[in-house]
Amino acid sequence: MAWRDFPYYRGEPVALSAGGWALALGGCVAGFLALIFVPRGPLGGPLGLVAPLLFAALPLIGLALAAGRGWTAIFPRPRLIDILVGLAATILALLVSGGIALAFSLSKLGPFAANPFAGSLPQLHTWERVVFIGGTAPQLLGEELVTILPFLALLTLLHGRLGLSKGAAIAGAWIVSAIIFGLLHLPTYGWNLMQVLLVIGVSRLVLTIPYLLTKSVWSSFAAHLALDWSIFALVLLGSARSH
């Protein structure tokens, strides 16, 4: 695997100032607010594509305003190894999150809340399912951006500004960005803090590993897409068998 480094934290391809990072992270906040507040209409309807597209676009706009042409550094030319690393992480994420969810469902602390959108999938018509599942692609890209951009901002802060070693800065940014990602899922999972930190947050740690290895959002996006679409497939398969 050809070696790549993380962008921005050492000034390559560009250095982002504090104001630049504010623009990039502000785009993440704007994208998340769009995801939450832009009306979606009935599940599986075309209006439901607007919020996911804004969720992906606004962080990229913020990054482009901050980094100019350097915004593409998070998307190096994809390689087969990038995708293979992502798919391997998908298997690990399924095992880890499934194991944690099962352990807590057998304890007095569970069961956890189910994803409400996945549960509604079997009730949709075929075309509505296609629209809904297709719309998850930009949403999952947005989820990658609101994880990876804070990770890179934290890496810049911890290593470049606070002087931590690169390894310690990566570890700190990896953990904190996963916590942030988990907390963003609180409304989806009934404000269950334990669930979003122990299931969603730990799954996010696994899903970020492809980015840590390849320095490519394409890799972590492939992992996330394969994970969620696998879950949708299992839901539909289970529904078909029950009828």
Side-chain angles (χ1 to χ4, degrees):
M1 185 187 304
W3 184 82
R4 296 173 179 148
D5 198 5
F6 299 107
Y8 313 129
Y9 83 106
R10 295 180 62 187
E12 295 292 338
V14 294
L16 271 63
S17 64
W21 280 118
L23 280 172
L25 297 179
C28 293
V29 173
F32 181 71
L33 292 176
L35 183 70
I36 296 298
F37 293 112
V38 170
R40 295 197 178 202
L43 195 64
L47 185 61
L49 298 175
V50 176
L53 288 170
L54 288 172
F55 185 36
L58 291 174
L60 291 177
I61 291 171
L63 180 60
L65 291 173
R69 293 182 180 180
W71 75 271
T72 60
I74 62 172
F75 295 108
R77 180 176 296 179
R79 308 168 300 186
L80 178 60
I81 189 64
D82 298 334
I83 306 305
L84 293 177
V85 168
L87 294 179
T90 300
I91 299 171
L92 181 59
L94 280 169
L95 293 174
V96 170
S97 60
I100 294 173
L102 177 62
F104 276 88
S105 69
L106 296 176
S107 71
K108 295 180 180 180
L109 299 174
F112 288 143
N115 185 306
F117 299 109
S120 301
L121 195 57
Q123 281 71 53
L124 299 179
H125 297 296
T126 300
W127 175 244
E128 292 173 329
R129 291 177 185 174
V130 170
V131 172
F132 171 76
I133 294 175
T136 62
Q139 179 164 334
L140 294 177
L141 178 58
E143 292 190 10
E144 291 308 303
L145 295 171
V146 300
T147 301
I148 300 306
L149 290 178
F151 167 84
L152 293 172
L154 288 163
L155 176 60
T156 303
L157 173 66
L158 296 175
H159 183 64
R161 303 291 176 85
L162 300 183
L164 271 65
S165 69
K166 182 178 178 181
I170 291 172
W174 179 42
I175 293 170
V176 174
S177 61
I179 292 173
I180 294 170
F181 179 82
L183 293 176
L184 293 179
H185 285 75
L186 278 170
T188 302
Y189 292 97
W191 301 92
N192 188 326
L193 183 62
M194 185 174 295
Q195 178 172 4
V196 300
L197 292 180
L198 294 180
V199 179
I200 307 301
V202 171
S203 296
R204 181 66 252 183
L205 287 174
V206 177
L207 291 174
T208 304
I209 290 175
Y211 182 77
L212 300 181
L213 295 175
T214 67
K215 283 72 175 180
S216 172
V217 170
W218 293 124
S219 187
S220 57
F221 174 59
H224 205 162
L225 193 69
L227 175 65
D228 278 34
W229 284 9
S230 296
I231 293 172
F232 294 151
L234 291 173
V235 169
L236 291 173
L237 182 61
S239 175
R241 287 183 173 180
S242 65
H243 288 82

